[in-house]
Structures are given as structure tokens and as C-alpha cells.
Amino acid sequence: MCGIIGITGRVDAVDGIVAGLKRLEYRGYDSAGVVTGDGRALRIVKRAGKLENLTGALAEQADGALSASTGIGHTRWATHGAPNDRNAHPHTDPDGRVAVVHNGIVENYQQLKSSLGDVRFASETDSEVVAHLVARHLDEADAPDLLTAVRRVVADLKGAYSLCLVSRDEPDTIVVAKHEAPLIVAHADGVGYCASDVAALIAHTRDVSALLDGQIARITPDGVEVVDVDGAPAKPHDYHVSWDLEAAEKQGYEHFMLKEIFEQPQAVHDTLLDRHRPDAGGGSPRLRLDELRIDERDLARIDKVFILACGTSLHAGMVGKLAIEHWAGIPVDVEVASEFRYRDPIVDKNTLVIAISQSGETVDTIAAASHARDQRSPVVSLVNVVGSTLAREADGVLYTHAGPEVAVASTKAFTTQIVGCLLLGLYLAQVRGRMYATETADILSRLQQIPDALEEVLGLDAEITALAERYTDVDYTMFIGRHSGLPIAMEGALKLKEISYLHAEAFPAGEMKHGPIALIEPGSLVIALAPAGHVFAKMVSNIQEVRARGASVLAIGTADSAAELKDHADHVLALPEPPHELAGPVLSVVPLQLFSYRVATLRGEDVDQPRNLAKTVTVE
Ligand code: F6R
């Protein structure tokens, strides 16, 4: 959460910073700010609210007032202190000598503030103390430079942070520090850059370096110097970004969310690409997950799996549980990552942990995975963002290859995560000898039909829009499902509430009669996941129960269940039969994504930037 960008060496850094902040706004939009320096003074402009408030304020500045070749910017997701102008970043020391922008939480900020004595703070943030501390260190007898002063400060910081600082006295220098919050640095054509995410840098370069925890860097127009906290040279993680600027644009869609919903056939195609083939030496084709890096013999010994994730990724993990238990025969627990390390999970070297995350930067998931690694459990991350912290820190990684996901509400990341889970389930079955090679090959070839089936589902958009128009003002929506329909019911409810702010909940359909059915009254909407399959008859009974109590029912069926559903539901959406029952969720979530999107836009909500949310959650 919070987005950081810094540029040094450009004729006008502010334009580049604002363009970068635009791409980082998904990380938080409570306020935005920028600071530049010309060697005489630091000049700051910052405003509460979305980036457009900052750009409006910048436009009011006298011509050239902020122009400089070095500057840093920030877009905020508030943690400490209300989202107002005062708490907006950048923050400075009382003399305006040093300015800082920060992503994360300095957990010991109160203690650090007290250590400064009787000093006035201009904001309620945890971040401001960093500027004060750096300024104090700059005054030390050995007259340290900004890099050295920052090194001395981070030695005392506790918590998660990526920090970016400029000093009035070092006009062409930006210093950054990273611990448990992402920070990318780069240098191209005489310009040095840093940002929370490559999306902000992609217009300038695709060759970047991710700083590792504990690393500090000095960025100048001449290059990037990376050191550790003791000042010794350090090596960041260098990589090349495979997607380009065009992929990060809206390409004519009204919102990123809609674009990303419609990108799902391609995204799933890319996730499945080239997974089944002979090895370099020939032989018969097998399912290959090249980046997994965990010895097949170790995987064959696994007797328990934990899937750890948050939000939408957790729902994908619930489908993963069904796939792994069904194909590989290993017991699987799916757990909210933020809970895992605060209890006493029983994990050891025979427990495989699968950590699922679009961003690979969700701090709860990273911390849970690292807790499991401390108990010697192998960790596989199922991640979209290449080079992200989770991808780097896990023993093995399976990339979803969904391309950049910008909308806060996750869509294509989710469907590709489910496909990733199916691949992992099949792979574990393969290494454990639970499946004939022909069986694996058959399922994999059937999964290749998903992109075409997704295109067919997307063709229902007009029908779904008409339904959304009808239910735009519904007070309460309950989503119900069984087996692989349950995670999709949960995901459908999450999508609806996060972008339309309508009250929505999901329940296992069989649980209704144990309490939740009391909520149903005339006017309630129930969305029921009812594909053909082994739980269909039970779903029909549950639909009848809610209808008998006055609810309107929208049933999401499949070609083989739709005709029967028409006798029981007010509306039926007939999806194509999935190529495998466990692939059904990849298709059935799409109408729910579209329904939520259409309801939210009809209600006039800001779909790509829903209130109180941010895309990458780097605080606990
Ligand atoms: C909802 C959504 C969130 C994320 C969650 C985890 O649409 O996007 O619930 O799924 O914050 O994020 P990642 O997958 O980046 O770990």
C-alpha cells in the first residue's frame, strides 16, 4: 500500500513523477504529493484525495516553481493519521532539509519520536519521524552524506518499510531503503529511477532491479549504488519485465476492471502455455512446471498441504484444495494468511505450503510463508508479478502469467490462479504416481478448451447487464454454492461488496438452514451456483427453500443444468459445460465479475478505485 516514485536526471522530474503516480494510484488514493529540490530548498506540493487534486494544485503553481531534475512522489493509503493534507507525504524535518516518502509502517515510531526530545511534529504519521532522524544524523560530527545518514536511521527502525528520501544539500541524489515492502530501482539513458512497482517505470525501461530486504541504494543520474546497512556493496535482484506499456493501458475500455475481465481467455491461455512437453532429451511428454525448483522426490514425500492467501486469492486456494485432494490424494487446509502465524500450525518438512498472491507483495501472505519456511516446510508461491518478494523468497514458484492487473478488484488474476492450482494438483498427482500419464495428458488437453469457453461466457455480457439493471438497488444479496461453487459464491459476494458497496454474503448452500436463511425475505436476491454435476440436485433443493421464502433467484447453470433450473429460478444464465468439473469455477466466476461491474457502474461508483481499498496490501 502507498506508491512511491523517484526520478533523478530528467529535465523535468515532476511530469515523470505524476505519470508514475498515475500508474501507482491503485496502491492507495487517500492523498498524493511530490517534492523537488534545486540545491537551495525543497519544494513540496501535496493534497488530500485522489491524484487529480495534486495535479490541480501543481497546475496552479507559478511557472517553473517546481521544475527540477530530481524529485520524489507518493500516493497514500492511510494507516497512521487521517487522509488529509497535513498527513499527506512527503514529510520533512523541521528545517525542511530532508524529505521522505514511505510505504509501510514504522512500528516503533512512538519510541523514536520520544528519543528526539521536545520536537514538534507536523503530522500524525509514523513516517515523519524518519525525516527528523535523518536530519539529526546529517548533523553528526563526521558530516555523513544522505546515504550514510539513512543507513544509520534504518538500523533503528522496526516494521515494514520502503523509504525514499531527498536532501536539500544533495540535489542530484535520491536514497532509498527497503524492508518488507517492495522497491524497484533502475537506470536508463542517464536517468535514475525508483518505484514501488515496475508499472511506474515501464515507460522508461524494462530492465529493473528489486531491492532485497535490508538494502539501501543511492540513485543519481550516473547510476544506482546498492549497499547493505553496514555500507558494504550488495546485489539486488535484477530482471527484465516481459510486458510492455501497452499492456498497462486501458486500451479503449472504460475501466481497467472491464479490460481485465475481457482479457481472461488470453490470460488463461498464457497460464497453460507450454506446460505439457517432453524434456530436453526427448521422451514422453509430461506436465512440466519449470520454475517449481523443488525436487520431485521431496514432493513425493509430502503428507499435508497448507494453502495460504488473502481475499480473492484465498478463494482460488479453495478450488486448489479440491483439485489437490481429488487428484493427488493429499489432505489440504486452506487458511487466511493473516491468521496462520498467530496460532501454532503443525507444519514440518513434509508439509507443502502453497502461498497464493497476485502481487506477491501481500505482507500477511509473505509473513505466513516465511513462518512455514522457518519450520522447514517447502514453500511454493503461485504468483502473478514476476520478481515479487513472494516469488523470490519461496523455494519454488509457479507464475500465472496473467499480465499486469491494475484494477483493485481482482479478476484475471483469480481465474489464472485457479488454473495454476489445477496444474499444481495434477503435478502433485504426477510426481506421486497417482495418475496414468495418459490421464494427465487428457485432462491437460481438456483444460486447453477453457479460453474458448471463456469467450462464450463473455458473450453473455448483454444479458448480465440487463440483470444488473434490474437489481441495481437490491438491499441484500446472498450467494450460495456447494463444492466448487462455494469458492465462487464467496468470490461473487466479495466482488459485489468491494466495488458496489452493496451488502452481500456467501454461504455453503447446505448451511442456509442452520441460520442464514432467516435473512431471506421478499425482495432478497439469491445468486446460486448450480452447474450440472454431483451436487446439482442438492442445489436445486436449496434454491427451492429460498424461493419459498420470497427471494428472487439468479441461477448460474451450465448447458446440462439450465433447462431444469428454469423451473426453479427467476433467471438462469446458461454457461457452457466446463471441460472438467474442477475447471467450472474458472467459467462461473465471470458472470459474477460482470454482474458486479455492471451494478457498480450503474450506481456510479468508481470501479477501479473502490473506497477504503488498495490493490497491494503491504501492511498487516
Ligand atoms: C479483491 C482483491 C483482494 C486481493 C487480496 C490479496 O478483489 O483483489 O482481496 O485478492 O488483497 O492480494 P494478493 O493476491 O496480491 O496477495
mmCIF file of all heavy atoms in Angstrom, residues 310-314 356-362 365 405 407-411 417 491 494-495 498 614-617, ligand 1:
data_model
loop_
_atom_site.group_PDB
_atom_site.id
_atom_site.type_symbol
_atom_site.label_atom_id
_atom_site.label_comp_id
_atom_site.label_asym_id
_atom_site.label_seq_id
_atom_site.Cartn_x
_atom_site.Cartn_y
_atom_site.Cartn_z
ATOM 1 N N CYS A 310 -4.920 -14.457 0.857
ATOM 2 C CA CYS A 310 -5.894 -13.491 1.372
ATOM 3 C C CYS A 310 -6.892 -13.152 0.267
ATOM 4 O O CYS A 310 -6.546 -13.156 -0.909
ATOM 5 C CB CYS A 310 -5.215 -12.185 1.754
ATOM 6 S SG CYS A 310 -3.896 -12.377 2.941
ATOM 7 N N GLY A 311 -8.092 -12.802 0.679
ATOM 8 C CA GLY A 311 -9.102 -12.241 -0.232
ATOM 9 C C GLY A 311 -9.410 -13.157 -1.396
ATOM 10 O O GLY A 311 -9.644 -14.360 -1.256
ATOM 11 N N THR A 312 -9.389 -12.561 -2.571
ATOM 12 C CA THR A 312 -9.699 -13.304 -3.791
ATOM 13 C C THR A 312 -8.751 -14.492 -3.971
ATOM 14 O O THR A 312 -9.167 -15.582 -4.374
ATOM 15 C CB THR A 312 -9.611 -12.326 -4.990
ATOM 16 O OG1 THR A 312 -10.732 -11.442 -4.904
ATOM 17 C CG2 THR A 312 -9.619 -13.022 -6.308
ATOM 18 N N SER A 313 -7.492 -14.286 -3.663
ATOM 19 C CA SER A 313 -6.517 -15.375 -3.830
ATOM 20 C C SER A 313 -6.860 -16.555 -2.926
ATOM 21 O O SER A 313 -6.606 -17.718 -3.276
ATOM 22 C CB SER A 313 -5.100 -14.878 -3.519
ATOM 23 O OG SER A 313 -4.763 -13.825 -4.381
ATOM 24 N N LEU A 314 -7.439 -16.248 -1.766
ATOM 25 C CA LEU A 314 -7.858 -17.319 -0.854
ATOM 26 C C LEU A 314 -8.960 -18.160 -1.514
ATOM 27 O O LEU A 314 -8.985 -19.385 -1.389
ATOM 28 C CB LEU A 314 -8.363 -16.709 0.452
ATOM 29 C CG LEU A 314 -8.732 -17.701 1.537
ATOM 30 C CD1 LEU A 314 -7.479 -18.213 2.234
ATOM 31 C CD2 LEU A 314 -9.663 -17.088 2.571
ATOM 32 N N ILE A 356 -0.518 -18.180 -2.257
ATOM 33 C CA ILE A 356 -1.092 -17.627 -3.499
ATOM 34 C C ILE A 356 -1.230 -16.117 -3.358
ATOM 35 O O ILE A 356 -1.792 -15.624 -2.380
ATOM 36 C CB ILE A 356 -2.474 -18.242 -3.790
ATOM 37 C CG1 ILE A 356 -2.406 -19.770 -3.770
ATOM 38 C CG2 ILE A 356 -3.007 -17.753 -5.138
ATOM 39 C CD1 ILE A 356 -3.727 -20.465 -4.058
ATOM 40 N N SER A 357 -0.742 -15.399 -4.363
ATOM 41 C CA SER A 357 -0.840 -13.939 -4.311
ATOM 42 C C SER A 357 -0.658 -13.357 -5.707
ATOM 43 O O SER A 357 0.296 -13.704 -6.396
ATOM 44 C CB SER A 357 0.251 -13.399 -3.380
ATOM 45 O OG SER A 357 0.306 -12.005 -3.454
ATOM 46 N N GLN A 358 -1.573 -12.513 -6.114
ATOM 47 C CA GLN A 358 -1.410 -11.817 -7.395
ATOM 48 C C GLN A 358 -0.135 -10.982 -7.356
ATOM 49 O O GLN A 358 0.730 -11.103 -8.202
ATOM 50 C CB GLN A 358 -2.636 -10.936 -7.652
ATOM 51 C CG GLN A 358 -2.704 -10.248 -9.006
ATOM 52 C CD GLN A 358 -1.773 -9.095 -9.214
ATOM 53 O OE1 GLN A 358 -1.059 -9.043 -10.225
ATOM 54 N NE2 GLN A 358 -1.703 -8.159 -8.305
ATOM 55 N N SER A 359 -0.061 -10.113 -6.360
ATOM 56 C CA SER A 359 1.037 -9.141 -6.310
ATOM 57 C C SER A 359 2.356 -9.758 -5.874
ATOM 58 O O SER A 359 3.425 -9.269 -6.222
ATOM 59 C CB SER A 359 0.679 -8.030 -5.317
ATOM 60 O OG SER A 359 0.476 -8.592 -4.029
ATOM 61 N N GLY A 360 2.263 -10.801 -5.062
ATOM 62 C CA GLY A 360 3.479 -11.345 -4.452
ATOM 63 C C GLY A 360 4.038 -10.426 -3.390
ATOM 64 O O GLY A 360 5.155 -10.615 -2.902
ATOM 65 N N GLU A 361 3.265 -9.404 -3.002
ATOM 66 C CA GLU A 361 3.759 -8.438 -2.012
ATOM 67 C C GLU A 361 2.836 -8.335 -0.803
ATOM 68 O O GLU A 361 3.055 -7.478 0.048
ATOM 69 C CB GLU A 361 3.900 -7.046 -2.644
ATOM 70 C CG GLU A 361 4.862 -6.968 -3.818
ATOM 71 C CD GLU A 361 6.319 -7.250 -3.435
ATOM 72 O OE1 GLU A 361 6.628 -7.347 -2.228
ATOM 73 O OE2 GLU A 361 7.136 -7.414 -4.365
ATOM 74 N N THR A 362 1.797 -9.142 -0.735
ATOM 75 C CA THR A 362 0.867 -9.062 0.388
ATOM 76 C C THR A 362 1.598 -9.500 1.662
ATOM 77 O O THR A 362 2.024 -10.647 1.776
ATOM 78 C CB THR A 362 -0.359 -9.952 0.127
ATOM 79 O OG1 THR A 362 -0.989 -9.457 -1.051
ATOM 80 C CG2 THR A 362 -1.338 -9.936 1.277
ATOM 81 N N THR A 365 0.648 -12.693 3.576
ATOM 82 C CA THR A 365 0.974 -13.956 2.910
ATOM 83 C C THR A 365 2.481 -14.208 2.967
ATOM 84 O O THR A 365 2.927 -15.340 3.196
ATOM 85 C CB THR A 365 0.458 -13.910 1.447
ATOM 86 O OG1 THR A 365 -0.888 -13.467 1.468
ATOM 87 C CG2 THR A 365 0.536 -15.265 0.785
ATOM 88 N N GLU A 405 -2.218 -6.588 -13.637
ATOM 89 C CA GLU A 405 -3.607 -6.391 -13.189
ATOM 90 C C GLU A 405 -3.630 -5.079 -12.417
ATOM 91 O O GLU A 405 -2.971 -4.950 -11.382
ATOM 92 C CB GLU A 405 -4.074 -7.545 -12.309
ATOM 93 C CG GLU A 405 -5.575 -7.479 -12.073
ATOM 94 C CD GLU A 405 -6.078 -8.611 -11.180
ATOM 95 O OE1 GLU A 405 -5.678 -8.648 -9.997
ATOM 96 O OE2 GLU A 405 -6.852 -9.443 -11.646
ATOM 97 N N ALA A 407 -6.750 -2.940 -11.947
ATOM 98 C CA ALA A 407 -7.976 -2.692 -11.167
ATOM 99 C C ALA A 407 -7.811 -3.275 -9.770
ATOM 100 O O ALA A 407 -7.231 -4.358 -9.609
ATOM 101 C CB ALA A 407 -9.175 -3.321 -11.855
ATOM 102 N N VAL A 408 -8.321 -2.556 -8.798
ATOM 103 C CA VAL A 408 -8.212 -3.047 -7.415
ATOM 104 C C VAL A 408 -8.958 -4.375 -7.268
ATOM 105 O O VAL A 408 -8.482 -5.299 -6.609
ATOM 106 C CB VAL A 408 -8.727 -1.966 -6.438
ATOM 107 C CG1 VAL A 408 -8.943 -2.545 -5.056
ATOM 108 C CG2 VAL A 408 -7.723 -0.812 -6.377
ATOM 109 N N ALA A 409 -10.112 -4.481 -7.897
ATOM 110 C CA ALA A 409 -10.871 -5.746 -7.821
ATOM 111 C C ALA A 409 -10.227 -6.759 -8.763
ATOM 112 O O ALA A 409 -10.161 -6.562 -9.971
ATOM 113 C CB ALA A 409 -12.319 -5.496 -8.205
ATOM 114 N N SER A 410 -9.777 -7.838 -8.181
ATOM 115 C CA SER A 410 -9.022 -8.833 -8.939
ATOM 116 C C SER A 410 -9.954 -9.701 -9.787
ATOM 117 O O SER A 410 -10.983 -10.175 -9.308
ATOM 118 C CB SER A 410 -8.279 -9.701 -7.917
ATOM 119 O OG SER A 410 -7.441 -10.594 -8.565
ATOM 120 N N THR A 411 -9.597 -9.910 -11.044
ATOM 121 C CA THR A 411 -10.429 -10.759 -11.921
ATOM 122 C C THR A 411 -9.564 -11.788 -12.648
ATOM 123 O O THR A 411 -9.594 -12.965 -12.342
ATOM 124 C CB THR A 411 -11.194 -9.892 -12.945
ATOM 125 O OG1 THR A 411 -10.262 -9.050 -13.632
ATOM 126 C CG2 THR A 411 -12.257 -9.054 -12.256
ATOM 127 N N GLN A 417 -5.167 -17.980 -11.260
ATOM 128 C CA GLN A 417 -4.741 -18.682 -10.031
ATOM 129 C C GLN A 417 -5.437 -20.040 -9.939
ATOM 130 O O GLN A 417 -4.832 -21.037 -9.532
ATOM 131 C CB GLN A 417 -5.105 -17.853 -8.797
ATOM 132 C CG GLN A 417 -4.171 -16.683 -8.547
ATOM 133 C CD GLN A 417 -4.732 -15.706 -7.523
ATOM 134 O OE1 GLN A 417 -5.917 -15.755 -7.183
ATOM 135 N NE2 GLN A 417 -3.899 -14.810 -7.040
ATOM 136 N N GLU A 491 -16.415 -15.546 -3.834
ATOM 137 C CA GLU A 491 -15.770 -14.543 -4.682
ATOM 138 C C GLU A 491 -16.811 -13.578 -5.264
ATOM 139 O O GLU A 491 -16.570 -12.371 -5.352
ATOM 140 C CB GLU A 491 -14.984 -15.261 -5.793
ATOM 141 C CG GLU A 491 -14.299 -14.372 -6.794
ATOM 142 C CD GLU A 491 -13.297 -13.382 -6.197
ATOM 143 O OE1 GLU A 491 -12.967 -13.481 -5.004
ATOM 144 O OE2 GLU A 491 -12.869 -12.492 -6.941
ATOM 145 N N LEU A 494 -17.712 -11.122 -2.595
ATOM 146 C CA LEU A 494 -16.616 -10.161 -2.380
ATOM 147 C C LEU A 494 -16.588 -9.112 -3.491
ATOM 148 O O LEU A 494 -16.464 -7.910 -3.233
ATOM 149 C CB LEU A 494 -15.276 -10.911 -2.313
ATOM 150 C CG LEU A 494 -14.030 -10.046 -2.152
ATOM 151 C CD1 LEU A 494 -14.076 -9.240 -0.861
ATOM 152 C CD2 LEU A 494 -12.761 -10.893 -2.170
ATOM 153 N N LYS A 495 -16.727 -9.569 -4.730
ATOM 154 C CA LYS A 495 -16.689 -8.620 -5.854
ATOM 155 C C LYS A 495 -17.809 -7.598 -5.709
ATOM 156 O O LYS A 495 -17.598 -6.407 -5.886
ATOM 157 C CB LYS A 495 -16.850 -9.343 -7.209
ATOM 158 C CG LYS A 495 -15.645 -10.084 -7.687
ATOM 159 C CD LYS A 495 -14.585 -9.226 -8.316
ATOM 160 C CE LYS A 495 -13.391 -8.988 -7.466
ATOM 161 N NZ LYS A 495 -12.571 -9.961 -6.897
ATOM 162 N N GLU A 498 -17.159 -5.137 -2.724
ATOM 163 C CA GLU A 498 -15.996 -4.241 -2.774
ATOM 164 C C GLU A 498 -16.126 -3.133 -3.810
ATOM 165 O O GLU A 498 -15.548 -2.068 -3.641
ATOM 166 C CB GLU A 498 -14.683 -5.008 -2.955
ATOM 167 C CG GLU A 498 -14.455 -5.603 -4.309
ATOM 168 C CD GLU A 498 -13.122 -6.316 -4.421
ATOM 169 O OE1 GLU A 498 -12.134 -5.874 -3.829
ATOM 170 O OE2 GLU A 498 -13.075 -7.336 -5.127
ATOM 171 N N ALA A 614 -6.978 -0.736 -1.407
ATOM 172 C CA ALA A 614 -5.790 -0.526 -2.237
ATOM 173 C C ALA A 614 -5.423 -1.885 -2.795
ATOM 174 O O ALA A 614 -5.805 -2.914 -2.232
ATOM 175 C CB ALA A 614 -4.637 0.010 -1.406
ATOM 176 N N LYS A 615 -4.732 -1.894 -3.903
ATOM 177 C CA LYS A 615 -4.507 -3.185 -4.546
ATOM 178 C C LYS A 615 -3.487 -4.044 -3.816
ATOM 179 O O LYS A 615 -3.681 -5.236 -3.652
ATOM 180 C CB LYS A 615 -4.065 -2.983 -5.994
ATOM 181 C CG LYS A 615 -3.891 -4.296 -6.711
ATOM 182 C CD LYS A 615 -4.428 -4.273 -8.091
ATOM 183 C CE LYS A 615 -4.448 -5.648 -8.712
ATOM 184 N NZ LYS A 615 -5.668 -6.375 -8.387
ATOM 185 N N THR A 616 -2.394 -3.457 -3.436
ATOM 186 C CA THR A 616 -1.332 -4.267 -2.848
ATOM 187 C C THR A 616 -1.264 -3.961 -1.361
ATOM 188 O O THR A 616 -0.996 -2.824 -0.976
ATOM 189 C CB THR A 616 0.007 -3.945 -3.528
ATOM 190 O OG1 THR A 616 -0.188 -4.058 -4.924
ATOM 191 C CG2 THR A 616 1.086 -4.897 -3.095
ATOM 192 N N VAL A 617 -1.515 -4.974 -0.553
ATOM 193 C CA VAL A 617 -1.700 -4.726 0.872
ATOM 194 C C VAL A 617 -0.408 -5.041 1.622
ATOM 195 O O VAL A 617 -0.166 -6.178 2.015
ATOM 196 C CB VAL A 617 -2.898 -5.545 1.405
ATOM 197 C CG1 VAL A 617 -3.176 -5.210 2.852
ATOM 198 C CG2 VAL A 617 -4.142 -5.238 0.570
HETATM 199 C C1 F6R B 1 -10.203 -8.439 -4.162
HETATM 200 C C2 F6R B 1 -8.759 -8.440 -4.102
HETATM 201 C C3 F6R B 1 -8.114 -8.750 -2.805
HETATM 202 C C4 F6R B 1 -6.782 -9.498 -3.041
HETATM 203 C C5 F6R B 1 -6.038 -9.641 -1.707
HETATM 204 C C6 F6R B 1 -4.757 -10.423 -1.875
HETATM 205 O O1 F6R B 1 -10.657 -8.167 -5.449
HETATM 206 O O2 F6R B 1 -8.100 -8.168 -5.065
HETATM 207 O O3 F6R B 1 -8.944 -9.465 -1.957
HETATM 208 O O4 F6R B 1 -7.055 -10.733 -3.599
HETATM 209 O O5 F6R B 1 -5.743 -8.376 -1.194
HETATM 210 O O6 F6R B 1 -3.902 -9.806 -2.787
HETATM 211 P P1 F6R B 1 -2.742 -10.623 -3.480
HETATM 212 O O7 F6R B 1 -3.384 -11.634 -4.359
HETATM 213 O O8 F6R B 1 -1.957 -9.609 -4.248
HETATM 214 O O9 F6R B 1 -1.955 -11.255 -2.381
#
